[in-house]
Every structure is written in C-alpha cells, then in structure tokens.
Amino acid sequence: MSSNILFLPFRRTHSISLSAAIRQYISTKYDQHPDMFKHDLEAIDRLRADAVTSLEPHVSGIRKLAAYAAQLVWIGGKFPIDIDFSVVSQNNLRFELANILYNLASLYSQLAISTNRSTSDGLKTACNYFCVSAGVISYLKTHIIPDLRSTPPEDMDTMTLECLQHLLLAQAQECFWQKAVKDGLKDASIAKLAAKVSDFYSQAGDFGIKSDAISTEWIHHMTAKHHHFAAAAQYRAACDCLEKRKYGEEVARLRDSLNCVNEAMKEARWINKMVLGDLNGLKNRVSEDLKRAEKDNDLIYLIPVPPKSELKALERASMATAKVPKEIADPSSMLGDHGVFGQPLFAKLVPYAVHIAASIYVERKDRLVNTIIIDELEGLTTNLRDLLQSLSLPGSLQALEKPLGLPPTLISHAEEIRQQDGLNRLRRSMDDIAKLKANDKSTYAEGIELLKSEAAEDERARKRYGTDRWTRPTSQEAAEKLYVQVGEIDGYLNSANSSDELVRGKLKDCEGVLRVLAGSDRDLEESVPSSRRATLTPRVEKETGRLRASLNEVNGLESRRRRKIQTLREKAASDDINPSILAEAARLEREYPMQKIEPAQFEELFEKRLERYDSDRTMVVEEQEEQAGVTSRVKEANAAFLQARRGDSSTKERERALQKLENGYFKYKEIVSNLDVGRKFYNDLAKIVARFKDDCKGFAYQRRTEAGQLESDLTNAMSSLTLSQANSLQHEKQEENLRSSYKIKAHVDEPLTAPTPTRAAVPPPLAPASLGVWTPEMGIQFGGGPSQQNNQNVHAAPYPNTSNAQLRGGPWDPSRGLRFS
C-alpha cells in the first residue's frame, strides 16, 4: 500500500465463449432455433470481452461493465440462473453478474484513488466515487448474492462485503473531512466529520475480523485509521473549546486525543509510511498544543480538568452514504429504444419463466385429469368388476343360457387376446420395462459414485490438513439437497420394485388361463365342460331375463365410461396453453417492463384454464351415483336368479370354467394397464436420475475446483509459515549469542548495578524546537530515532511535522552511556 487510503483490486477471469453455452442451451431446451439469435450471440460475447478487459481506472470502463451487467440481468429472465457453462466457475449467470458488479465497485474505488485530491473539487469527486462504489457493494450484497443458489466465494460472503462497504464509506467520509479542512470550516464541524470517519473505520475493522478474506494488513490499517480519526475528532473539539474559553475541557480532550494517537501508533509495524506519517504529524501537533494548554491552565486559568467519563460525547455528521447508480438499481430502464445501452438481447426468445409456467400447467392438468378424474372413473370400473366376480357373473348366467359351445362374449375376449399376441406382449413389455429400470439404476449409480468419490476426496484432504485448516463444509452439508434427493430416488426404486413384483405375481397366477384364451377355439372349447340343457321354468326364465338386462346395463355403463375417458384424454392432449401464456407474458412485458417475469404471475391464467374441466369433475360424481344404482339392481337380480334356481347344480362346473376365463381376461387387461403405468414411471424416472447425475457431476467439479484452490492456499500458507519459522529461529539464535557475550563480561560474584543516565556530550541539534524536557512517557531512545521524511500527505496542512533534526542512528555502544533525545 503506497497511499493512505485503499482501493478494491479487480477480480480476474479468462476468456470464454458465453455464446456457445447459450446456443447449446437454446437448441436443447427451447423450441426456437439458435440461428434466430445469431447477432445477439455475437453481441453477448463482445460485451463480455469489453467488460473483462476494462480493468484499469478509466471512466470509459463504467459504461462497459454496466452495459454487460444490464444485459446479464435481462437475460436472467430468459434463462435459468444455473445454466450449464462448463467453463465458468459455479456454472451460474448470477455468479457472473456478481463478479461484474464487484469489478464495477473496484473501478469506482480506483477512480477515487486516481483523482487529484489536492483540490476541493477533486476531493468532492473522490468522495462521490467512494459512495457509488459502496452502493454497488451494497446492491451486490442484498440483491445478487442471496439469489446465487450456491455458497458464495469467501471474498463475497456477508462479512467481507459489509467490511468493504464500510471501508468505502469511511474513505468517502475522510475525503469530505479533508475537504472541510481545506475549505477552513469551523473546528466543531470538522470534529463531527472526523468522529464519523472513526466510526466507519471501526465498523469496517469489526467486520474484517469476522471475514476470512480481508487481509491482516488491511485490518491493521483500518484499526489505525479508527484511532487516528478518533484523535483528530478530539483535537478539533479541543480547538473549539479553546475558542470558547473552555480551558479545562480543552486539556481533557487533548489528553484523550494523545491517547488515541498512541493507540494508533501500536499498529505502526503493519501500516505504510504515509499513514504513519499522518499519525506522527498529528501526534506532534497534539503534543505541542497539550503542553501549551496544560501550562496556560496551570499558570493562568486554573480550571479543573474533567475526567474523560464526564466529557460530552462528540456529535456525528455523516456525509457519506451508499449510492446505487441507476444503471445498476434499474438496468431495464437503460435498455430499449431510448436506452443508453441499446436493445435488450434475446428479446424474441421466450422467457424461461414461460417454459416453467407451461410445465407447471401441464403438471397440474395431468394431475387433475389422470389422478382426480380418470383414476377415479377406472376405480369405479374396478369395483364393478370385483362385484361381478364375487357374484360369479356372468359365468353363471352364460352356463345356463348356453349349455353347449362358447358364449359370444368369451369368443370376442379370446379373439382380442390372440390379436394382441397376449402372453408374448406382456413378456415383451416386462423385458422393455426391465431395460428401462436397468438404465435408470445405472445412471443413478453413476451419480451416487460421483458423490461417494467426492466425499472420499474431501475426507482424505480433511485428514491430511486437519479440521482446523480444512474448514469448508463436508460433502453432506454442501450438497444437502442432493443427499435428500438420494433418499427420494431410493424410495421411488423400492416402491417400483414392489409394484414390479406384484405385476409378475399377477401374470404368474393367470398365465395358464391366458394360454388357454390365446390358443385355438378348439382348445378353448375343450377347457369348458358342457352341461345338459336345463329345463327353464317361467320363474327362472323371468329372473334370467332380469339378470341379463342388469348385466347389459353394466356393459353399457362400462362402454360409455371408456368413451368418456378417451374423450377426456383427447381433450387434455389438445389443451395447449402456450399461446395463452405467450400472450400473457407479452402483456406483462409491456405493462411492467422493469419487472422480471415469474411463473407465479400466471396463477390466475391457470385457474381460469382449468375451469374447463369442471364439467368432467361433475361427471365423476354423476358416474358414482349411476353406478350405485346399477350395482344395487345387479345384486337384487342376482339374488332373485339364485333363489329361482335353488337346488339346480347341473351347470356348476361350466359356471366355474366360464367365470375363470372371464376373470382371466379382465386380469389380462389389468396387467396391460399396470405395465403401461410402469413404463411411464421409468421413463419419468429416467429424466429425474439424468438430472440428478448432471447435478452430481456439476457439484463434484465445483468441489474439486474449490479443493484445488484451498490446497493451493494452504500450501502457500504453510510455505510462508516455514520460512517465517526459519527466520524466527535465526533471530532467536542471534539474540542468544548476544546475551552470551554480555554474560561473559559480567562479574558473576557481584550484583549487576543499573547504569546511571548521563547526558552525552554531543553538539546541540539543529532544530531545538523539536526537543523538550524528557518525560517518562517518552521512553528511553538509544542513539536517536529514525530520520523522518517530509511526506506529502493529506495531514501535512492540519498536522505539520515540525521535527526535521537529523539524529544519528545505529546500534548502541555501551561505552558511550545513555542519552535522552
């Protein structure tokens, strides 16, 4: 550090093709072709190149950085923030924006440093630059970092950004204080300004201690500045007291000022020459005024000096506030036909939020149609079939109506199974599902292996460096969402295994019956025993007709229900909400151009759109009521039928055979439905595990990058520590040799007497004004202090350095005795 104020260094990056990643994302995730945005893709690369190469303190860089930042904010509404940029750290648009804003704040701070601060106008400009820099840091902290969706780097965590913001405000306030001094404002006003400078530096130092990124050198600098301006505030307050003839309070404030300077001087080993020169200038001025004030008060005014606890706390005058520039706080206003940054890029690309909104609607529609409506209707049909099966229908009726041959319904069912290649179809479907399942498990296992490998690498590094040095979160802590997803996917697979076993069990139970149904008509007839033609009494004939009518009603109900379900599925498939969402998105962009489009803004549209299925939900209730009446009539008709045929067992064997075949057919239909559901489940699971694997890959890459950086930092730190230890050991050895040489000269049998201070016979100094009566607070100086140069610094005018004496330095020679300078 070669200045008495600090600036933020730029964050560096390497050249990448942002357009390649965006082009790939558009081609895979959007319906629009990336060639539609050829000029926009070229422009985004050009903007990034201009922004990352504008790393010098020149005002032209402000527009380049701000223009790129504005476009990043705009396209953030078009793409997800975690779009996969394989060559960008953290694969995150928000992270890219955070770095650009950080560099913009750095640029403002460096512009403040490069401003001519020897004039009032220059100080005013520097103060404004520092305030804007603090505003950008504040905006970064409150608006960008919380949306990062990942752990921010250590130099962008909350404590670090708070420290930097208060440091920039402190330096802005310091520039205003210096301007007040230069403009000759009253001492009371300057004291208020200096007190606030001290507060800002104190807050910056407190946050810096809690940060892992702020260097020790900067913390010492801020600590010294805090005490320095506390001393400057008390000094100016003392000057005000002198003007108001408060001589006792003047002495008290000068003493406190000197104490504050001495506290600041404790940091002398770590601060640069300019800051140290400012402190020496202030100390000399305060010391001289304190001597004069104490002498005048002791000899003339005789006013009691109040203790520090009774001094009134100094008032504060804050002239530095964080100012967020308009191009950062409201970037949308800088884009467009009349915007200074030109047209927004990818304006014709459908916003990513629109795609999310469309997928949300499709998910809600599918849940409503398939789960709430169709599943309910199919559940009613299943209940109806279970009832018929429990009543041995229609087998008992078919055996009576057609004692020889095969019933027409059974022949049609068998023909349907033959046409569909029943058993082979079921086996092929099961094999296909098994392959899907294996692929899903393989992809999932790859993701798990990536997590295990990363966790093992992290654990090895933790054991190697120790938990005190390897302080980053464990794998489970850093990827909590991924590990939660592991449990969810395990649950999906376990549930699917149970369902698969259940379906296989169903097929095994009915495989023999299905083999018969899939065979020839002759084999089918041989499986059904014939019965003698029974004599139908009028009552049996009446109840048979009644039961047949009830079963026909059941068949009619099932047939109508199947058509309704098919119609509903076609209705849902043709329900394309994209045009409506695009129209709504266009309206939102027109009416609220500065507001980012979010999926939640389409909720009202979703509700209105789903109202078209209200009639279908009402239809479910009507079906439930109709089925209740049909089942009641079937039960009554079957009870009367059985009562009329009491004692007739001539058709029992044929009834059981026909009912078994009928049940086998419905079981076949049920298995087909189960396999369709299973196939859809594993296809959906494939998307989940693929996304899980990609997330694991990105996490592992990020963690390895972090680990490499952390290992590099630790290695450098350990190397520095080893060198420091070596120097320390060498220094201790030299001191031990020196002590040994003194011990040789000393008389062991006589006590060592203390040296008697004597004034050395030396010529008087050239600048006697800088010397005075020795006091215990001055300590003992051997040979004289280091020569001081007349630095050109901000404190030269208010705190002149009056000591220009050329004092002789060097090691102390015991033969020369002691002298006080």
PDB file of all heavy atoms in Angstrom, residues 111-130 172 175-176 178-183:
ATOM      1  N   LEU A 111     -10.990   4.782  -9.369  1.00  0.00           N
ATOM      2  CA  LEU A 111     -11.160   6.137  -9.904  1.00  0.00           C
ATOM      3  C   LEU A 111     -11.020   7.168  -8.782  1.00  0.00           C
ATOM      4  O   LEU A 111     -10.456   8.256  -8.979  1.00  0.00           O
ATOM      5  CB  LEU A 111     -12.522   6.266 -10.582  1.00  0.00           C
ATOM      6  CG  LEU A 111     -12.682   5.564 -11.935  1.00  0.00           C
ATOM      7  CD1 LEU A 111     -14.128   5.632 -12.403  1.00  0.00           C
ATOM      8  CD2 LEU A 111     -11.754   6.186 -12.983  1.00  0.00           C
ATOM      9  N   ALA A 112     -11.545   6.820  -7.595  1.00  0.00           N
ATOM     10  CA  ALA A 112     -11.414   7.733  -6.449  1.00  0.00           C
ATOM     11  C   ALA A 112      -9.951   7.913  -6.068  1.00  0.00           C
ATOM     12  O   ALA A 112      -9.503   9.025  -5.761  1.00  0.00           O
ATOM     13  CB  ALA A 112     -12.216   7.195  -5.276  1.00  0.00           C
ATOM     14  N   ILE A 113      -9.193   6.817  -6.107  1.00  0.00           N
ATOM     15  CA  ILE A 113      -7.774   6.883  -5.754  1.00  0.00           C
ATOM     16  C   ILE A 113      -7.004   7.746  -6.754  1.00  0.00           C
ATOM     17  O   ILE A 113      -6.117   8.521  -6.381  1.00  0.00           O
ATOM     18  CB  ILE A 113      -7.174   5.448  -5.719  1.00  0.00           C
ATOM     19  CG1 ILE A 113      -7.723   4.672  -4.523  1.00  0.00           C
ATOM     20  CG2 ILE A 113      -5.656   5.497  -5.660  1.00  0.00           C
ATOM     21  CD1 ILE A 113      -7.156   5.089  -3.202  1.00  0.00           C
ATOM     22  N   SER A 114      -7.349   7.590  -8.049  1.00  0.00           N
ATOM     23  CA  SER A 114      -6.597   8.294  -9.093  1.00  0.00           C
ATOM     24  C   SER A 114      -7.001   9.757  -9.236  1.00  0.00           C
ATOM     25  O   SER A 114      -6.357  10.505  -9.985  1.00  0.00           O
ATOM     26  CB  SER A 114      -6.790   7.580 -10.431  1.00  0.00           C
ATOM     27  OG  SER A 114      -8.159   7.572 -10.805  1.00  0.00           O
ATOM     28  N   THR A 115      -8.062  10.171  -8.546  1.00  0.00           N
ATOM     29  CA  THR A 115      -8.494  11.572  -8.629  1.00  0.00           C
ATOM     30  C   THR A 115      -7.502  12.480  -7.900  1.00  0.00           C
ATOM     31  O   THR A 115      -6.912  12.093  -6.880  1.00  0.00           O
ATOM     32  CB  THR A 115      -9.893  11.720  -8.008  1.00  0.00           C
ATOM     33  OG1 THR A 115     -10.805  10.874  -8.691  1.00  0.00           O
ATOM     34  CG2 THR A 115     -10.381  13.150  -8.106  1.00  0.00           C
ATOM     35  N   ASN A 116      -7.327  13.685  -8.393  1.00  0.00           N
ATOM     36  CA  ASN A 116      -6.445  14.664  -7.742  1.00  0.00           C
ATOM     37  C   ASN A 116      -7.108  15.161  -6.462  1.00  0.00           C
ATOM     38  O   ASN A 116      -8.017  16.001  -6.498  1.00  0.00           O
ATOM     39  CB  ASN A 116      -6.177  15.820  -8.696  1.00  0.00           C
ATOM     40  CG  ASN A 116      -5.257  16.869  -8.077  1.00  0.00           C
ATOM     41  OD1 ASN A 116      -4.663  16.641  -7.015  1.00  0.00           O
ATOM     42  ND2 ASN A 116      -5.130  18.001  -8.745  1.00  0.00           N
ATOM     43  N   ARG A 117      -6.646  14.650  -5.327  1.00  0.00           N
ATOM     44  CA  ARG A 117      -7.268  15.003  -4.053  1.00  0.00           C
ATOM     45  C   ARG A 117      -6.563  16.162  -3.346  1.00  0.00           C
ATOM     46  O   ARG A 117      -6.713  16.346  -2.142  1.00  0.00           O
ATOM     47  CB  ARG A 117      -7.292  13.773  -3.139  1.00  0.00           C
ATOM     48  CG  ARG A 117      -8.292  12.722  -3.590  1.00  0.00           C
ATOM     49  CD  ARG A 117      -8.262  11.452  -2.772  1.00  0.00           C
ATOM     50  NE  ARG A 117      -7.115  10.624  -3.097  1.00  0.00           N
ATOM     51  CZ  ARG A 117      -6.168  10.270  -2.252  1.00  0.00           C
ATOM     52  NH1 ARG A 117      -6.210  10.705  -1.004  1.00  0.00           N
ATOM     53  NH2 ARG A 117      -5.165   9.510  -2.632  1.00  0.00           N
ATOM     54  N   SER A 118      -5.838  16.949  -4.118  1.00  0.00           N
ATOM     55  CA  SER A 118      -5.206  18.137  -3.534  1.00  0.00           C
ATOM     56  C   SER A 118      -6.084  19.373  -3.691  1.00  0.00           C
ATOM     57  O   SER A 118      -5.732  20.448  -3.208  1.00  0.00           O
ATOM     58  CB  SER A 118      -3.845  18.382  -4.200  1.00  0.00           C
ATOM     59  OG  SER A 118      -4.020  18.626  -5.603  1.00  0.00           O
ATOM     60  N   THR A 119      -7.232  19.219  -4.376  1.00  0.00           N
ATOM     61  CA  THR A 119      -8.159  20.335  -4.557  1.00  0.00           C
ATOM     62  C   THR A 119      -9.519  19.968  -3.964  1.00  0.00           C
ATOM     63  O   THR A 119      -9.846  18.782  -3.807  1.00  0.00           O
ATOM     64  CB  THR A 119      -8.337  20.668  -6.048  1.00  0.00           C
ATOM     65  OG1 THR A 119      -8.953  19.554  -6.714  1.00  0.00           O
ATOM     66  CG2 THR A 119      -6.987  20.952  -6.710  1.00  0.00           C
ATOM     67  N   SER A 120     -10.300  20.978  -3.689  1.00  0.00           N
ATOM     68  CA  SER A 120     -11.631  20.736  -3.131  1.00  0.00           C
ATOM     69  C   SER A 120     -12.512  19.979  -4.112  1.00  0.00           C
ATOM     70  O   SER A 120     -13.241  19.050  -3.741  1.00  0.00           O
ATOM     71  CB  SER A 120     -12.290  22.063  -2.745  1.00  0.00           C
ATOM     72  OG  SER A 120     -11.605  22.666  -1.669  1.00  0.00           O
ATOM     73  N   ASP A 121     -12.455  20.332  -5.399  1.00  0.00           N
ATOM     74  CA  ASP A 121     -13.256  19.638  -6.397  1.00  0.00           C
ATOM     75  C   ASP A 121     -12.830  18.186  -6.540  1.00  0.00           C
ATOM     76  O   ASP A 121     -13.663  17.279  -6.698  1.00  0.00           O
ATOM     77  CB  ASP A 121     -13.161  20.358  -7.748  1.00  0.00           C
ATOM     78  CG  ASP A 121     -13.854  21.707  -7.753  1.00  0.00           C
ATOM     79  OD1 ASP A 121     -14.715  21.917  -6.864  1.00  0.00           O
ATOM     80  OD2 ASP A 121     -13.545  22.534  -8.618  1.00  0.00           O
ATOM     81  N   GLY A 122     -11.534  17.956  -6.504  1.00  0.00           N
ATOM     82  CA  GLY A 122     -11.042  16.589  -6.594  1.00  0.00           C
ATOM     83  C   GLY A 122     -11.495  15.741  -5.416  1.00  0.00           C
ATOM     84  O   GLY A 122     -11.867  14.568  -5.581  1.00  0.00           O
ATOM     85  N   LEU A 123     -11.466  16.313  -4.224  1.00  0.00           N
ATOM     86  CA  LEU A 123     -11.924  15.591  -3.032  1.00  0.00           C
ATOM     87  C   LEU A 123     -13.419  15.289  -3.121  1.00  0.00           C
ATOM     88  O   LEU A 123     -13.875  14.213  -2.721  1.00  0.00           O
ATOM     89  CB  LEU A 123     -11.623  16.410  -1.779  1.00  0.00           C
ATOM     90  CG  LEU A 123     -10.152  16.479  -1.368  1.00  0.00           C
ATOM     91  CD1 LEU A 123      -9.952  17.543  -0.299  1.00  0.00           C
ATOM     92  CD2 LEU A 123      -9.677  15.122  -0.869  1.00  0.00           C
ATOM     93  N   LYS A 124     -14.172  16.246  -3.641  1.00  0.00           N
ATOM     94  CA  LYS A 124     -15.616  16.035  -3.802  1.00  0.00           C
ATOM     95  C   LYS A 124     -15.887  14.893  -4.784  1.00  0.00           C
ATOM     96  O   LYS A 124     -16.748  14.030  -4.548  1.00  0.00           O
ATOM     97  CB  LYS A 124     -16.268  17.318  -4.281  1.00  0.00           C
ATOM     98  CG  LYS A 124     -17.791  17.245  -4.396  1.00  0.00           C
ATOM     99  CD  LYS A 124     -18.354  18.588  -4.827  1.00  0.00           C
ATOM    100  CE  LYS A 124     -19.873  18.512  -4.953  1.00  0.00           C
ATOM    101  NZ  LYS A 124     -20.438  19.820  -5.382  1.00  0.00           N
ATOM    102  N   THR A 125     -15.135  14.857  -5.879  1.00  0.00           N
ATOM    103  CA  THR A 125     -15.292  13.787  -6.873  1.00  0.00           C
ATOM    104  C   THR A 125     -14.904  12.441  -6.280  1.00  0.00           C
ATOM    105  O   THR A 125     -15.600  11.430  -6.481  1.00  0.00           O
ATOM    106  CB  THR A 125     -14.424  14.093  -8.108  1.00  0.00           C
ATOM    107  OG1 THR A 125     -14.811  15.342  -8.663  1.00  0.00           O
ATOM    108  CG2 THR A 125     -14.578  12.998  -9.152  1.00  0.00           C
ATOM    109  N   ALA A 126     -13.796  12.407  -5.543  1.00  0.00           N
ATOM    110  CA  ALA A 126     -13.350  11.155  -4.926  1.00  0.00           C
ATOM    111  C   ALA A 126     -14.376  10.651  -3.918  1.00  0.00           C
ATOM    112  O   ALA A 126     -14.658   9.444  -3.843  1.00  0.00           O
ATOM    113  CB  ALA A 126     -11.999  11.364  -4.244  1.00  0.00           C
ATOM    114  N   CYS A 127     -14.937  11.570  -3.142  1.00  0.00           N
ATOM    115  CA  CYS A 127     -15.970  11.190  -2.169  1.00  0.00           C
ATOM    116  C   CYS A 127     -17.161  10.558  -2.880  1.00  0.00           C
ATOM    117  O   CYS A 127     -17.679   9.524  -2.434  1.00  0.00           O
ATOM    118  CB  CYS A 127     -16.404  12.426  -1.381  1.00  0.00           C
ATOM    119  SG  CYS A 127     -17.772  12.122  -0.228  1.00  0.00           S
ATOM    120  N   ASN A 128     -17.580  11.146  -4.000  1.00  0.00           N
ATOM    121  CA  ASN A 128     -18.725  10.603  -4.741  1.00  0.00           C
ATOM    122  C   ASN A 128     -18.405   9.216  -5.303  1.00  0.00           C
ATOM    123  O   ASN A 128     -19.246   8.300  -5.258  1.00  0.00           O
ATOM    124  CB  ASN A 128     -19.095  11.557  -5.873  1.00  0.00           C
ATOM    125  CG  ASN A 128     -20.328  11.083  -6.631  1.00  0.00           C
ATOM    126  OD1 ASN A 128     -21.418  11.007  -6.085  1.00  0.00           O
ATOM    127  ND2 ASN A 128     -20.139  10.755  -7.902  1.00  0.00           N
ATOM    128  N   TYR A 129     -17.193   9.039  -5.829  1.00  0.00           N
ATOM    129  CA  TYR A 129     -16.801   7.734  -6.361  1.00  0.00           C
ATOM    130  C   TYR A 129     -16.843   6.658  -5.263  1.00  0.00           C
ATOM    131  O   TYR A 129     -17.316   5.539  -5.485  1.00  0.00           O
ATOM    132  CB  TYR A 129     -15.402   7.797  -6.963  1.00  0.00           C
ATOM    133  CG  TYR A 129     -15.360   8.330  -8.376  1.00  0.00           C
ATOM    134  CD1 TYR A 129     -14.334   9.185  -8.794  1.00  0.00           C
ATOM    135  CD2 TYR A 129     -16.327   7.967  -9.308  1.00  0.00           C
ATOM    136  CE1 TYR A 129     -14.281   9.672 -10.089  1.00  0.00           C
ATOM    137  CE2 TYR A 129     -16.277   8.457 -10.612  1.00  0.00           C
ATOM    138  CZ  TYR A 129     -15.255   9.305 -11.002  1.00  0.00           C
ATOM    139  OH  TYR A 129     -15.209   9.783 -12.277  1.00  0.00           O
ATOM    140  N   PHE A 130     -16.326   7.001  -4.097  1.00  0.00           N
ATOM    141  CA  PHE A 130     -16.338   6.036  -2.996  1.00  0.00           C
ATOM    142  C   PHE A 130     -17.775   5.692  -2.582  1.00  0.00           C
ATOM    143  O   PHE A 130     -18.084   4.539  -2.281  1.00  0.00           O
ATOM    144  CB  PHE A 130     -15.564   6.576  -1.800  1.00  0.00           C
ATOM    145  CG  PHE A 130     -14.076   6.364  -1.884  1.00  0.00           C
ATOM    146  CD1 PHE A 130     -13.187   7.416  -1.694  1.00  0.00           C
ATOM    147  CD2 PHE A 130     -13.559   5.101  -2.134  1.00  0.00           C
ATOM    148  CE1 PHE A 130     -11.819   7.215  -1.768  1.00  0.00           C
ATOM    149  CE2 PHE A 130     -12.190   4.893  -2.204  1.00  0.00           C
ATOM    150  CZ  PHE A 130     -11.312   5.958  -2.030  1.00  0.00           C
ATOM    151  N   ALA A 172     -14.876   7.686   1.873  1.00  0.00           N
ATOM    152  CA  ALA A 172     -15.670   8.792   1.331  1.00  0.00           C
ATOM    153  C   ALA A 172     -15.823   9.897   2.379  1.00  0.00           C
ATOM    154  O   ALA A 172     -15.656  11.093   2.073  1.00  0.00           O
ATOM    155  CB  ALA A 172     -17.048   8.278   0.902  1.00  0.00           C
ATOM    156  N   CYS A 175     -12.606  11.803   2.734  1.00  0.00           N
ATOM    157  CA  CYS A 175     -12.405  12.805   1.681  1.00  0.00           C
ATOM    158  C   CYS A 175     -13.202  14.078   1.984  1.00  0.00           C
ATOM    159  O   CYS A 175     -12.708  15.197   1.785  1.00  0.00           O
ATOM    160  CB  CYS A 175     -12.819  12.239   0.328  1.00  0.00           C
ATOM    161  SG  CYS A 175     -11.710  10.974  -0.333  1.00  0.00           S
ATOM    162  N   PHE A 176     -14.425  13.905   2.484  1.00  0.00           N
ATOM    163  CA  PHE A 176     -15.236  15.077   2.827  1.00  0.00           C
ATOM    164  C   PHE A 176     -14.617  15.816   4.008  1.00  0.00           C
ATOM    165  O   PHE A 176     -14.612  17.052   4.046  1.00  0.00           O
ATOM    166  CB  PHE A 176     -16.662  14.643   3.168  1.00  0.00           C
ATOM    167  CG  PHE A 176     -17.655  15.759   3.068  1.00  0.00           C
ATOM    168  CD1 PHE A 176     -18.352  15.991   1.892  1.00  0.00           C
ATOM    169  CD2 PHE A 176     -17.875  16.612   4.143  1.00  0.00           C
ATOM    170  CE1 PHE A 176     -19.244  17.039   1.789  1.00  0.00           C
ATOM    171  CE2 PHE A 176     -18.765  17.659   4.052  1.00  0.00           C
ATOM    172  CZ  PHE A 176     -19.462  17.875   2.867  1.00  0.00           C
ATOM    173  N   GLN A 178     -11.428  15.907   4.719  1.00  0.00           N
ATOM    174  CA  GLN A 178     -10.257  16.614   4.216  1.00  0.00           C
ATOM    175  C   GLN A 178     -10.657  17.877   3.452  1.00  0.00           C
ATOM    176  O   GLN A 178      -9.986  18.906   3.536  1.00  0.00           O
ATOM    177  CB  GLN A 178      -9.454  15.678   3.304  1.00  0.00           C
ATOM    178  CG  GLN A 178      -8.081  16.218   2.946  1.00  0.00           C
ATOM    179  CD  GLN A 178      -7.275  15.226   2.136  1.00  0.00           C
ATOM    180  OE1 GLN A 178      -7.708  14.100   1.933  1.00  0.00           O
ATOM    181  NE2 GLN A 178      -6.114  15.647   1.678  1.00  0.00           N
ATOM    182  N   LYS A 179     -11.773  17.798   2.728  1.00  0.00           N
ATOM    183  CA  LYS A 179     -12.274  18.980   2.025  1.00  0.00           C
ATOM    184  C   LYS A 179     -12.689  20.063   3.023  1.00  0.00           C
ATOM    185  O   LYS A 179     -12.447  21.261   2.807  1.00  0.00           O
ATOM    186  CB  LYS A 179     -13.469  18.593   1.144  1.00  0.00           C
ATOM    187  CG  LYS A 179     -14.070  19.746   0.338  1.00  0.00           C
ATOM    188  CD  LYS A 179     -15.217  19.258  -0.532  1.00  0.00           C
ATOM    189  CE  LYS A 179     -15.790  20.378  -1.388  1.00  0.00           C
ATOM    190  NZ  LYS A 179     -16.331  21.481  -0.606  1.00  0.00           N
ATOM    191  N   ALA A 180     -13.312  19.643   4.126  1.00  0.00           N
ATOM    192  CA  ALA A 180     -13.710  20.612   5.152  1.00  0.00           C
ATOM    193  C   ALA A 180     -12.491  21.298   5.755  1.00  0.00           C
ATOM    194  O   ALA A 180     -12.507  22.510   6.026  1.00  0.00           O
ATOM    195  CB  ALA A 180     -14.520  19.903   6.236  1.00  0.00           C
ATOM    196  N   VAL A 181     -11.419  20.521   5.976  1.00  0.00           N
ATOM    197  CA  VAL A 181     -10.185  21.116   6.495  1.00  0.00           C
ATOM    198  C   VAL A 181      -9.613  22.117   5.507  1.00  0.00           C
ATOM    199  O   VAL A 181      -9.208  23.227   5.866  1.00  0.00           O
ATOM    200  CB  VAL A 181      -9.159  19.996   6.810  1.00  0.00           C
ATOM    201  CG1 VAL A 181      -7.810  20.611   7.185  1.00  0.00           C
ATOM    202  CG2 VAL A 181      -9.668  19.112   7.937  1.00  0.00           C
ATOM    203  N   LYS A 182      -9.618  21.692   4.232  1.00  0.00           N
ATOM    204  CA  LYS A 182      -9.044  22.557   3.198  1.00  0.00           C
ATOM    205  C   LYS A 182      -9.874  23.828   3.016  1.00  0.00           C
ATOM    206  O   LYS A 182      -9.326  24.903   2.757  1.00  0.00           O
ATOM    207  CB  LYS A 182      -8.945  21.769   1.886  1.00  0.00           C
ATOM    208  CG  LYS A 182      -8.218  22.498   0.770  1.00  0.00           C
ATOM    209  CD  LYS A 182      -8.074  21.606  -0.434  1.00  0.00           C
ATOM    210  CE  LYS A 182      -7.104  20.467  -0.154  1.00  0.00           C
ATOM    211  NZ  LYS A 182      -5.714  20.971  -0.002  1.00  0.00           N
ATOM    212  N   ASP A 183     -11.190  23.711   3.155  1.00  0.00           N
ATOM    213  CA  ASP A 183     -12.069  24.871   2.983  1.00  0.00           C
ATOM    214  C   ASP A 183     -12.141  25.741   4.230  1.00  0.00           C
ATOM    215  O   ASP A 183     -12.809  26.779   4.219  1.00  0.00           O
ATOM    216  CB  ASP A 183     -13.475  24.408   2.604  1.00  0.00           C
ATOM    217  CG  ASP A 183     -13.514  23.754   1.225  1.00  0.00           C
ATOM    218  OD1 ASP A 183     -12.525  23.909   0.475  1.00  0.00           O
ATOM    219  OD2 ASP A 183     -14.515  23.072   0.910  1.00  0.00           O
TER     220      ASP A 183
END
